Structures are given as C-alpha cells and as structure tokens.
Amino acid sequence: SDGNKDIKKVVQMVFGRVPHQLCVVHFLKNLRAKMGVGIITEEQYMDARHNILKGKKPTLLKVPSDLFTYQKVKGLPRTNQATENFFRFVNLRTKTLNIFRSWKTATNYLNALILYRRFKKFDSCKGKNRSFNGSAPLELAGCNITNLDYLNLSKSSRKMVR
C-alpha cells in the first residue's frame, strides 16, 4: 500500500495474516516531500533512495520494516503500480455505471469486467515481468483455466446476484 494506516488496518481485518508491502515508489515520493520541507536532508534522501532501490536498508535513516516484505515473500511486488493501474481501469469503466437502470445490472457489469481482467492474457509486460506475457492472472496464480469461459462464469455470477 501507500502506507496509509487505515488501509493497513482494513487489509489485516479482511485478509488476516496476509503480509503487507509498503510501496517503494510511494515511500520514496513521501520521503522526497519531507526533504522539500526540511524534515530530512538531501543527503539522507539520496542515501535512502540509493539503498532502497538496491533492496538494502538506508544507513542514514530508519525505515519501516514492511518496505522490504517483498524480500521475504516470494512473488510479492515492491510497488503497488499494478494495483493502481487496475483501479484506474475500473474507475474509467465505473464512470459509465450511472447509465445502468438498476444496481443489479451495474453489479453484473462489474462482475463480468473483473472476470474478463482475470482471464485476459498479459501482452505488454516489460522488464522482469516480461515472462507474464501470454498468461492470464489466474494462470499465474496457479489456476487451470483451459476449459473455462469467463462469459459463462459471468452468467453464473449474475444468478447469484439476483
């Protein structure tokens, strides 16, 4: 997360003992803001940035331990960029929700949209995530989706909403 204490509390309440990873990008952005108002020095910021990006603890500043959770939990990302991109995607799509005549129809639309995203194969990953291309998020999570059709699953979930 971006370090918001309320988000951390809710995640722990909903998901229990799921490990928390503080987003490196957000942490450095917040640290830079502290430098801008004189709370930390440029030297402290540069030391922190240099070491954190290399996966090491800074020598001049104390940092939260959940900044390095990704080193202990295999597959955990250092940033929440993918999550934020997903929420941006959903936000763009949900702007259209006010055109639906009922909450049930809007819910069915969102269920179908989320299923679509879980089944859609990645095709534009770069860098170390390049190996994700050609696989869907559900496949990367270990699910066999070979004979599954997200549209039929979407129809099943609509019956559950009624």
Side-chain angles (χ1 to χ4, degrees), residues 10-71:
V10 169
V11 167
Q12 187 156 18
M13 284 172 40
V14 174
F15 297 107
R17 298 185 326 164
V18 170
H20 177 262
Q21 170 64 42
L22 181 61
C23 178
V24 171
V25 172
H26 280 94
F27 180 79
L28 290 174
K29 190 183 207 181
N30 293 339
L31 207 56
R32 187 175 188 92
K34 288 180 180 179
M35 182 186 71
V37 294
I39 296 173
I40 65 168
T41 66
E42 184 175 356
E43 181 185 14
Q44 288 172 312
Y45 171 76
M46 293 307 290
D47 170 70
R49 185 178 184 282
H50 174 77
N51 284 305
I52 289 169
L53 292 177
K54 287 188 172 193
K56 300 177 185 175
K57 292 188 177 185
T59 55
L60 301 177
L61 282 176
K62 187 175 178 181
V63 296
S65 61
D66 58 355
L67 191 60
F68 299 100
T69 307
Y70 73 91
Q71 293 175 342

Short mmCIF file of all heavy atoms in Angstrom, two decimals, residues 10-71:
data_model
loop_
_atom_site.label_atom_id
_atom_site.label_comp_id
_atom_site.label_asym_id
_atom_site.label_seq_id
_atom_site.Cartn_x
_atom_site.Cartn_y
_atom_site.Cartn_z
N VAL A 10 -7.55 -2.20 7.48
CA VAL A 10 -8.62 -2.87 6.74
C VAL A 10 -8.10 -4.14 6.08
O VAL A 10 -8.75 -5.19 6.13
CB VAL A 10 -9.27 -1.92 5.70
CG1 VAL A 10 -10.18 -2.68 4.76
CG2 VAL A 10 -10.02 -0.81 6.41
N VAL A 11 -6.93 -4.07 5.47
CA VAL A 11 -6.36 -5.25 4.82
C VAL A 11 -6.16 -6.36 5.86
O VAL A 11 -6.49 -7.51 5.61
CB VAL A 11 -5.03 -4.90 4.10
CG1 VAL A 11 -4.27 -6.16 3.71
CG2 VAL A 11 -5.31 -4.04 2.89
N GLN A 12 -5.66 -6.01 7.03
CA GLN A 12 -5.46 -7.01 8.06
C GLN A 12 -6.80 -7.58 8.54
O GLN A 12 -6.92 -8.78 8.78
CB GLN A 12 -4.69 -6.43 9.24
CG GLN A 12 -4.33 -7.48 10.25
CD GLN A 12 -3.14 -7.10 11.08
OE1 GLN A 12 -2.76 -5.95 11.14
NE2 GLN A 12 -2.53 -8.08 11.71
N MET A 13 -7.83 -6.73 8.67
CA MET A 13 -9.15 -7.21 9.10
C MET A 13 -9.75 -8.15 8.07
O MET A 13 -10.30 -9.19 8.42
CB MET A 13 -10.10 -6.02 9.31
CG MET A 13 -9.86 -5.26 10.59
SD MET A 13 -10.81 -3.72 10.74
CE MET A 13 -12.40 -4.12 10.09
N VAL A 14 -9.64 -7.79 6.78
CA VAL A 14 -10.27 -8.58 5.73
C VAL A 14 -9.46 -9.82 5.36
O VAL A 14 -10.01 -10.90 5.19
CB VAL A 14 -10.51 -7.71 4.47
CG1 VAL A 14 -11.03 -8.54 3.31
CG2 VAL A 14 -11.47 -6.57 4.78
N PHE A 15 -8.15 -9.66 5.26
CA PHE A 15 -7.32 -10.75 4.77
C PHE A 15 -6.50 -11.46 5.85
O PHE A 15 -5.71 -12.34 5.55
CB PHE A 15 -6.38 -10.24 3.67
CG PHE A 15 -7.11 -9.75 2.46
CD1 PHE A 15 -7.18 -8.39 2.19
CD2 PHE A 15 -7.75 -10.62 1.61
CE1 PHE A 15 -7.86 -7.92 1.08
CE2 PHE A 15 -8.44 -10.17 0.50
CZ PHE A 15 -8.50 -8.82 0.23
N GLY A 16 -6.66 -11.04 7.09
CA GLY A 16 -5.95 -11.72 8.18
C GLY A 16 -4.46 -11.51 8.15
O GLY A 16 -3.98 -10.39 8.17
N ARG A 17 -3.74 -12.60 8.04
CA ARG A 17 -2.28 -12.54 8.17
C ARG A 17 -1.54 -12.37 6.85
O ARG A 17 -0.40 -12.78 6.72
CB ARG A 17 -1.79 -13.77 8.90
CG ARG A 17 -2.37 -13.85 10.31
CD ARG A 17 -1.84 -14.97 11.14
NE ARG A 17 -1.52 -16.18 10.39
CZ ARG A 17 -0.78 -17.15 10.85
NH1 ARG A 17 -0.29 -17.09 12.05
NH2 ARG A 17 -0.54 -18.22 10.12
N VAL A 18 -2.18 -11.78 5.87
CA VAL A 18 -1.52 -11.52 4.60
C VAL A 18 -0.42 -10.49 4.84
O VAL A 18 -0.64 -9.47 5.48
CB VAL A 18 -2.54 -10.99 3.55
CG1 VAL A 18 -1.84 -10.49 2.32
CG2 VAL A 18 -3.53 -12.06 3.20
N PRO A 19 0.80 -10.73 4.35
CA PRO A 19 1.89 -9.79 4.59
C PRO A 19 1.64 -8.45 3.90
O PRO A 19 1.07 -8.40 2.82
CB PRO A 19 3.12 -10.49 4.02
CG PRO A 19 2.60 -11.53 3.11
CD PRO A 19 1.22 -11.88 3.57
N HIS A 20 2.08 -7.39 4.53
CA HIS A 20 1.92 -6.04 3.97
C HIS A 20 3.23 -5.58 3.35
O HIS A 20 4.29 -5.71 3.95
CB HIS A 20 1.50 -5.06 5.06
CG HIS A 20 1.38 -3.67 4.55
ND1 HIS A 20 2.37 -2.73 4.69
CD2 HIS A 20 0.39 -3.05 3.85
CE1 HIS A 20 2.00 -1.60 4.11
NE2 HIS A 20 0.79 -1.78 3.60
N GLN A 21 3.14 -5.06 2.14
CA GLN A 21 4.30 -4.48 1.46
C GLN A 21 4.04 -3.00 1.26
O GLN A 21 3.10 -2.61 0.59
CB GLN A 21 4.52 -5.16 0.09
CG GLN A 21 5.55 -4.46 -0.78
CD GLN A 21 6.96 -4.48 -0.20
OE1 GLN A 21 7.39 -5.48 0.33
NE2 GLN A 21 7.65 -3.37 -0.29
N LEU A 22 4.89 -2.19 1.86
CA LEU A 22 4.83 -0.75 1.66
C LEU A 22 5.39 -0.46 0.27
O LEU A 22 6.46 -0.95 -0.08
CB LEU A 22 5.65 -0.04 2.73
CG LEU A 22 5.71 1.48 2.69
CD1 LEU A 22 4.31 2.07 2.85
CD2 LEU A 22 6.61 2.00 3.79
N CYS A 23 4.68 0.29 -0.53
CA CYS A 23 5.10 0.58 -1.90
C CYS A 23 6.38 1.43 -1.88
O CYS A 23 6.42 2.52 -1.31
CB CYS A 23 3.99 1.32 -2.64
SG CYS A 23 4.43 1.79 -4.33
N VAL A 24 7.41 0.92 -2.53
CA VAL A 24 8.70 1.62 -2.58
C VAL A 24 8.56 2.97 -3.25
O VAL A 24 9.10 3.97 -2.79
CB VAL A 24 9.75 0.74 -3.30
CG1 VAL A 24 11.02 1.50 -3.56
CG2 VAL A 24 10.04 -0.52 -2.49
N VAL A 25 7.80 3.03 -4.34
CA VAL A 25 7.63 4.29 -5.08
C VAL A 25 6.94 5.33 -4.20
O VAL A 25 7.38 6.48 -4.12
CB VAL A 25 6.84 4.05 -6.39
CG1 VAL A 25 6.50 5.36 -7.06
CG2 VAL A 25 7.62 3.14 -7.33
N HIS A 26 5.86 4.94 -3.52
CA HIS A 26 5.16 5.88 -2.63
C HIS A 26 6.05 6.31 -1.47
O HIS A 26 6.06 7.47 -1.08
CB HIS A 26 3.87 5.26 -2.08
CG HIS A 26 2.73 5.30 -3.03
ND1 HIS A 26 2.43 4.25 -3.85
CD2 HIS A 26 1.83 6.27 -3.30
CE1 HIS A 26 1.38 4.57 -4.58
NE2 HIS A 26 1.00 5.78 -4.27
N PHE A 27 6.80 5.36 -0.91
CA PHE A 27 7.66 5.71 0.21
C PHE A 27 8.69 6.76 -0.21
O PHE A 27 8.90 7.75 0.49
CB PHE A 27 8.36 4.46 0.75
CG PHE A 27 9.26 4.76 1.92
CD1 PHE A 27 8.72 4.95 3.18
CD2 PHE A 27 10.63 4.89 1.75
CE1 PHE A 27 9.54 5.25 4.26
CE2 PHE A 27 11.45 5.20 2.82
CZ PHE A 27 10.91 5.37 4.07
N LEU A 28 9.33 6.54 -1.35
CA LEU A 28 10.35 7.49 -1.82
C LEU A 28 9.73 8.85 -2.16
O LEU A 28 10.32 9.90 -1.89
CB LEU A 28 11.11 6.92 -3.01
CG LEU A 28 12.04 5.76 -2.68
CD1 LEU A 28 12.64 5.17 -3.95
CD2 LEU A 28 13.14 6.18 -1.70
N LYS A 29 8.53 8.83 -2.71
CA LYS A 29 7.83 10.09 -3.02
C LYS A 29 7.54 10.87 -1.73
O LYS A 29 7.77 12.08 -1.66
CB LYS A 29 6.52 9.75 -3.75
CG LYS A 29 5.80 10.90 -4.34
CD LYS A 29 4.51 10.34 -4.93
CE LYS A 29 3.96 11.11 -6.05
NZ LYS A 29 2.72 10.55 -6.57
N ASN A 30 7.06 10.16 -0.70
CA ASN A 30 6.78 10.81 0.58
C ASN A 30 8.07 11.29 1.25
O ASN A 30 8.09 12.35 1.87
CB ASN A 30 6.04 9.85 1.52
CG ASN A 30 4.64 9.54 1.03
OD1 ASN A 30 4.07 10.29 0.23
ND2 ASN A 30 4.09 8.43 1.46
N LEU A 31 9.14 10.52 1.09
CA LEU A 31 10.43 10.91 1.65
C LEU A 31 10.94 12.18 0.97
O LEU A 31 11.45 13.09 1.62
CB LEU A 31 11.42 9.77 1.46
CG LEU A 31 12.56 9.64 2.44
CD1 LEU A 31 12.06 9.55 3.87
CD2 LEU A 31 13.40 8.42 2.11
N ARG A 32 10.76 12.24 -0.34
CA ARG A 32 11.19 13.43 -1.10
C ARG A 32 10.43 14.66 -0.63
O ARG A 32 10.99 15.76 -0.53
CB ARG A 32 11.00 13.20 -2.60
CG ARG A 32 11.58 14.30 -3.43
CD ARG A 32 11.47 13.95 -4.93
NE ARG A 32 12.18 14.90 -5.71
CZ ARG A 32 13.45 14.79 -6.09
NH1 ARG A 32 14.14 13.74 -5.74
NH2 ARG A 32 14.02 15.71 -6.81
N ALA A 33 9.14 14.50 -0.33
CA ALA A 33 8.33 15.62 0.16
C ALA A 33 8.87 16.10 1.51
O ALA A 33 8.90 17.30 1.78
CB ALA A 33 6.87 15.21 0.28
N LYS A 34 9.31 15.17 2.35
CA LYS A 34 9.89 15.54 3.64
C LYS A 34 11.19 16.32 3.45
O LYS A 34 11.49 17.23 4.22
CB LYS A 34 10.15 14.30 4.50
CG LYS A 34 8.90 13.66 5.03
CD LYS A 34 9.22 12.43 5.87
CE LYS A 34 7.94 11.80 6.39
NZ LYS A 34 8.20 10.61 7.18
N MET A 35 11.93 15.96 2.41
CA MET A 35 13.16 16.68 2.12
C MET A 35 12.82 18.12 1.70
O MET A 35 13.48 19.07 2.11
CB MET A 35 13.95 15.99 1.01
CG MET A 35 15.28 16.65 0.68
SD MET A 35 16.09 15.91 -0.75
CE MET A 35 15.04 16.45 -2.09
N GLY A 36 11.75 18.26 0.93
CA GLY A 36 11.34 19.57 0.42
C GLY A 36 10.94 20.55 1.52
O GLY A 36 11.05 21.76 1.33
N VAL A 37 10.50 20.05 2.67
CA VAL A 37 10.11 20.95 3.77
C VAL A 37 11.13 20.94 4.90
O VAL A 37 10.86 21.43 6.00
CB VAL A 37 8.69 20.62 4.32
CG1 VAL A 37 7.63 20.90 3.27
CG2 VAL A 37 8.60 19.18 4.81
N GLY A 38 12.28 20.35 4.66
CA GLY A 38 13.38 20.42 5.62
C GLY A 38 13.34 19.40 6.75
O GLY A 38 14.10 19.52 7.70
N ILE A 39 12.49 18.39 6.68
CA ILE A 39 12.44 17.37 7.74
C ILE A 39 13.65 16.44 7.64
O ILE A 39 14.18 16.00 8.65
CB ILE A 39 11.11 16.59 7.68
CG1 ILE A 39 9.95 17.55 7.98
CG2 ILE A 39 11.11 15.42 8.66
CD1 ILE A 39 8.58 16.93 7.79
N ILE A 40 14.05 16.14 6.41
CA ILE A 40 15.27 15.35 6.20
C ILE A 40 16.17 16.11 5.23
O ILE A 40 15.71 16.98 4.50
CB ILE A 40 14.97 13.93 5.67
CG1 ILE A 40 14.35 13.98 4.27
CG2 ILE A 40 14.10 13.14 6.63
CD1 ILE A 40 14.30 12.64 3.57
N THR A 41 17.43 15.73 5.21
CA THR A 41 18.38 16.41 4.32
C THR A 41 18.42 15.71 2.96
O THR A 41 17.97 14.56 2.83
CB THR A 41 19.80 16.39 4.91
OG1 THR A 41 20.25 15.02 4.96
CG2 THR A 41 19.83 17.01 6.30
N GLU A 42 18.98 16.40 1.99
CA GLU A 42 19.13 15.80 0.66
C GLU A 42 20.04 14.58 0.75
O GLU A 42 19.81 13.57 0.08
CB GLU A 42 19.70 16.81 -0.33
CG GLU A 42 19.79 16.27 -1.73
CD GLU A 42 20.24 17.29 -2.76
OE1 GLU A 42 20.42 18.47 -2.42
OE2 GLU A 42 20.39 16.89 -3.92
N GLU A 43 21.05 14.65 1.60
CA GLU A 43 21.97 13.52 1.76
C GLU A 43 21.23 12.29 2.29
O GLU A 43 21.42 11.17 1.81
CB GLU A 43 23.10 13.90 2.72
CG GLU A 43 24.10 12.79 2.93
CD GLU A 43 25.16 13.13 3.98
OE1 GLU A 43 24.98 14.10 4.73
OE2 GLU A 43 26.15 12.37 4.03
N GLN A 44 20.35 12.49 3.27
CA GLN A 44 19.57 11.38 3.82
C GLN A 44 18.65 10.79 2.75
O GLN A 44 18.51 9.57 2.63
CB GLN A 44 18.72 11.84 5.01
CG GLN A 44 19.52 12.12 6.26
CD GLN A 44 18.67 12.75 7.34
OE1 GLN A 44 17.93 13.70 7.08
NE2 GLN A 44 18.77 12.23 8.56
N TYR A 45 18.02 11.68 1.96
CA TYR A 45 17.12 11.20 0.90
C TYR A 45 17.90 10.40 -0.13
O TYR A 45 17.49 9.31 -0.52
CB TYR A 45 16.41 12.37 0.22
CG TYR A 45 15.65 11.93 -1.02
CD1 TYR A 45 14.44 11.25 -0.89
CD2 TYR A 45 16.17 12.12 -2.29
CE1 TYR A 45 13.76 10.80 -2.01
CE2 TYR A 45 15.50 11.68 -3.41
CZ TYR A 45 14.29 11.02 -3.26
OH TYR A 45 13.63 10.56 -4.37
N MET A 46 19.03 10.92 -0.59
CA MET A 46 19.80 10.24 -1.63
C MET A 46 20.33 8.89 -1.12
O MET A 46 20.32 7.90 -1.86
CB MET A 46 20.95 11.13 -2.11
CG MET A 46 20.46 12.38 -2.86
SD MET A 46 19.32 12.03 -4.24
CE MET A 46 20.42 11.27 -5.41
N ASP A 47 20.76 8.84 0.13
CA ASP A 47 21.23 7.59 0.72
C ASP A 47 20.07 6.58 0.77
O ASP A 47 20.23 5.42 0.38
CB ASP A 47 21.77 7.83 2.14
CG ASP A 47 22.03 6.53 2.89
OD1 ASP A 47 22.97 5.81 2.51
OD2 ASP A 47 21.26 6.23 3.84
N ALA A 48 18.90 7.04 1.22
CA ALA A 48 17.73 6.16 1.30
C ALA A 48 17.34 5.66 -0.08
O ALA A 48 17.15 4.46 -0.29
CB ALA A 48 16.56 6.89 1.96
N ARG A 49 17.24 6.56 -1.03
CA ARG A 49 16.84 6.19 -2.40
C ARG A 49 17.81 5.18 -2.99
O ARG A 49 17.41 4.15 -3.52
CB ARG A 49 16.77 7.44 -3.27
CG ARG A 49 16.26 7.18 -4.66
CD ARG A 49 16.19 8.49 -5.47
NE ARG A 49 15.61 8.27 -6.76
CZ ARG A 49 16.26 7.75 -7.79
NH1 ARG A 49 17.53 7.40 -7.68
NH2 ARG A 49 15.64 7.56 -8.95
N HIS A 50 19.09 5.47 -2.89
CA HIS A 50 20.13 4.59 -3.46
C HIS A 50 20.04 3.18 -2.87
O HIS A 50 20.04 2.19 -3.60
CB HIS A 50 21.51 5.21 -3.20
CG HIS A 50 22.64 4.35 -3.61
ND1 HIS A 50 23.02 4.21 -4.92
CD2 HIS A 50 23.47 3.56 -2.87
CE1 HIS A 50 24.04 3.37 -4.98
NE2 HIS A 50 24.33 2.96 -3.76
N ASN A 51 19.95 3.11 -1.54
CA ASN A 51 19.94 1.79 -0.89
C ASN A 51 18.62 1.05 -1.08
O ASN A 51 18.61 -0.15 -1.35
CB ASN A 51 20.25 1.94 0.61
CG ASN A 51 21.73 2.18 0.84
OD1 ASN A 51 22.56 1.40 0.40
ND2 ASN A 51 22.06 3.27 1.50
N ILE A 52 17.50 1.76 -0.96
CA ILE A 52 16.19 1.10 -1.09
C ILE A 52 16.02 0.50 -2.48
O ILE A 52 15.55 -0.62 -2.63
CB ILE A 52 15.05 2.09 -0.75
CG1 ILE A 52 15.06 2.37 0.77
CG2 ILE A 52 13.70 1.54 -1.18
CD1 ILE A 52 14.17 3.53 1.18
N LEU A 53 16.43 1.23 -3.50
CA LEU A 53 16.29 0.71 -4.86
C LEU A 53 17.19 -0.50 -5.10
O LEU A 53 16.94 -1.29 -6.00
CB LEU A 53 16.56 1.81 -5.89
CG LEU A 53 15.50 2.92 -5.92
CD1 LEU A 53 15.89 4.01 -6.92
CD2 LEU A 53 14.12 2.36 -6.25
N LYS A 54 18.21 -0.66 -4.28
CA LYS A 54 19.08 -1.84 -4.37
C LYS A 54 18.62 -2.94 -3.41
O LYS A 54 19.26 -3.98 -3.30
CB LYS A 54 20.52 -1.46 -4.04
CG LYS A 54 21.18 -0.67 -5.14
CD LYS A 54 22.64 -0.48 -4.85
CE LYS A 54 23.30 0.14 -6.07
NZ LYS A 54 24.75 0.07 -5.97
N GLY A 55 17.51 -2.69 -2.68
CA GLY A 55 16.99 -3.69 -1.76
C GLY A 55 17.71 -3.72 -0.42
O GLY A 55 17.67 -4.71 0.29
N LYS A 56 18.38 -2.62 -0.08
CA LYS A 56 19.12 -2.55 1.19
C LYS A 56 18.52 -1.47 2.08
O LYS A 56 17.92 -0.52 1.59
CB LYS A 56 20.58 -2.18 0.92
CG LYS A 56 21.32 -3.16 0.05
CD LYS A 56 22.73 -2.66 -0.21
CE LYS A 56 23.47 -3.56 -1.18
NZ LYS A 56 24.79 -3.00 -1.51
N LYS A 57 18.73 -1.61 3.39
CA LYS A 57 18.27 -0.59 4.33
C LYS A 57 19.20 0.62 4.24
O LYS A 57 20.42 0.46 4.15
CB LYS A 57 18.23 -1.13 5.74
CG LYS A 57 17.15 -2.18 5.91
CD LYS A 57 16.98 -2.57 7.34
CE LYS A 57 15.84 -3.58 7.42
NZ LYS A 57 15.50 -3.93 8.76
N PRO A 58 18.64 1.83 4.27
CA PRO A 58 19.48 3.03 4.26
C PRO A 58 20.35 3.11 5.51
O PRO A 58 20.01 2.56 6.55
CB PRO A 58 18.47 4.18 4.26
CG PRO A 58 17.17 3.57 3.88
CD PRO A 58 17.23 2.14 4.29
N THR A 59 21.47 3.78 5.39
CA THR A 59 22.38 3.91 6.52
C THR A 59 22.08 5.15 7.36
O THR A 59 22.39 5.20 8.53
CB THR A 59 23.84 3.96 6.04
OG1 THR A 59 23.99 5.02 5.09
CG2 THR A 59 24.25 2.66 5.40
N LEU A 60 21.45 6.18 6.76
CA LEU A 60 21.24 7.45 7.45
C LEU A 60 19.83 7.65 8.00
O LEU A 60 19.58 8.59 8.73
CB LEU A 60 21.58 8.62 6.52
CG LEU A 60 23.02 8.65 5.98
CD1 LEU A 60 23.18 9.81 5.01
CD2 LEU A 60 24.02 8.75 7.11
N LEU A 61 18.89 6.78 7.64
CA LEU A 61 17.50 6.91 8.09
C LEU A 61 16.96 5.55 8.52
O LEU A 61 17.32 4.53 7.95
CB LEU A 61 16.61 7.40 6.95
CG LEU A 61 16.62 8.86 6.57
CD1 LEU A 61 15.74 9.08 5.35
CD2 LEU A 61 16.15 9.73 7.70
N LYS A 62 16.06 5.58 9.48
CA LYS A 62 15.34 4.37 9.86
C LYS A 62 14.10 4.29 8.97
O LYS A 62 13.41 5.29 8.79
CB LYS A 62 14.95 4.43 11.33
CG LYS A 62 14.34 3.15 11.83
CD LYS A 62 14.06 3.21 13.31
CE LYS A 62 13.42 1.90 13.72
NZ LYS A 62 13.09 1.87 15.12
N VAL A 63 13.84 3.11 8.40
CA VAL A 63 12.68 2.94 7.52
C VAL A 63 11.80 1.82 8.04
O VAL A 63 12.27 0.93 8.76
CB VAL A 63 13.11 2.64 6.05
CG1 VAL A 63 13.87 3.81 5.46
CG2 VAL A 63 13.93 1.38 5.96
N PRO A 64 10.51 1.83 7.70
CA PRO A 64 9.60 0.77 8.16
C PRO A 64 10.02 -0.60 7.64
O PRO A 64 10.49 -0.73 6.50
CB PRO A 64 8.25 1.17 7.57
CG PRO A 64 8.40 2.57 7.10
CD PRO A 64 9.84 2.82 6.88
N SER A 65 9.86 -1.61 8.46
CA SER A 65 10.26 -2.97 8.06
C SER A 65 9.43 -3.49 6.89
O SER A 65 9.90 -4.31 6.11
CB SER A 65 10.17 -3.92 9.25
OG SER A 65 8.84 -3.98 9.72
N ASP A 66 8.16 -3.03 6.77
CA ASP A 66 7.32 -3.55 5.68
C ASP A 66 7.70 -2.98 4.32
O ASP A 66 7.08 -3.29 3.31
CB ASP A 66 5.83 -3.37 5.97
CG ASP A 66 5.41 -1.94 6.22
OD1 ASP A 66 6.28 -1.05 6.28
OD2 ASP A 66 4.20 -1.72 6.37
N LEU A 67 8.76 -2.21 4.26
CA LEU A 67 9.29 -1.73 2.98
C LEU A 67 10.03 -2.85 2.26
O LEU A 67 10.20 -2.81 1.05
CB LEU A 67 10.23 -0.54 3.23
CG LEU A 67 10.69 0.26 2.04
CD1 LEU A 67 9.50 0.89 1.31
CD2 LEU A 67 11.64 1.37 2.48
N PHE A 68 10.45 -3.87 3.01
CA PHE A 68 11.23 -4.97 2.44
C PHE A 68 10.53 -6.32 2.54
O PHE A 68 11.17 -7.36 2.43
CB PHE A 68 12.61 -5.02 3.10
CG PHE A 68 13.41 -3.77 2.90
CD1 PHE A 68 13.49 -2.81 3.89
CD2 PHE A 68 14.05 -3.53 1.70
CE1 PHE A 68 14.21 -1.65 3.71
CE2 PHE A 68 14.77 -2.37 1.49
CZ PHE A 68 14.86 -1.42 2.50
N THR A 69 9.22 -6.33 2.74
CA THR A 69 8.47 -7.58 2.84
C THR A 69 8.64 -8.42 1.58
O THR A 69 8.70 -9.65 1.65
CB THR A 69 6.97 -7.29 3.08
OG1 THR A 69 6.83 -6.42 4.20
CG2 THR A 69 6.18 -8.56 3.33
N TYR A 70 8.75 -7.77 0.43
CA TYR A 70 8.88 -8.50 -0.84
C TYR A 70 10.10 -9.41 -0.84
O TYR A 70 10.13 -10.40 -1.58
CB TYR A 70 8.95 -7.52 -2.02
CG TYR A 70 10.25 -6.76 -2.14
CD1 TYR A 70 11.29 -7.26 -2.91
CD2 TYR A 70 10.45 -5.56 -1.47
CE1 TYR A 70 12.49 -6.57 -3.01
CE2 TYR A 70 11.63 -4.88 -1.56
CZ TYR A 70 12.67 -5.38 -2.33
OH TYR A 70 13.84 -4.71 -2.43
N GLN A 71 11.11 -9.12 -0.02
CA GLN A 71 12.29 -9.98 0.03
C GLN A 71 12.02 -11.28 0.78
O GLN A 71 12.70 -12.27 0.58
CB GLN A 71 13.46 -9.25 0.71
CG GLN A 71 13.95 -8.07 -0.10
CD GLN A 71 15.03 -7.27 0.63
OE1 GLN A 71 15.17 -7.37 1.85
NE2 GLN A 71 15.77 -6.48 -0.12
#
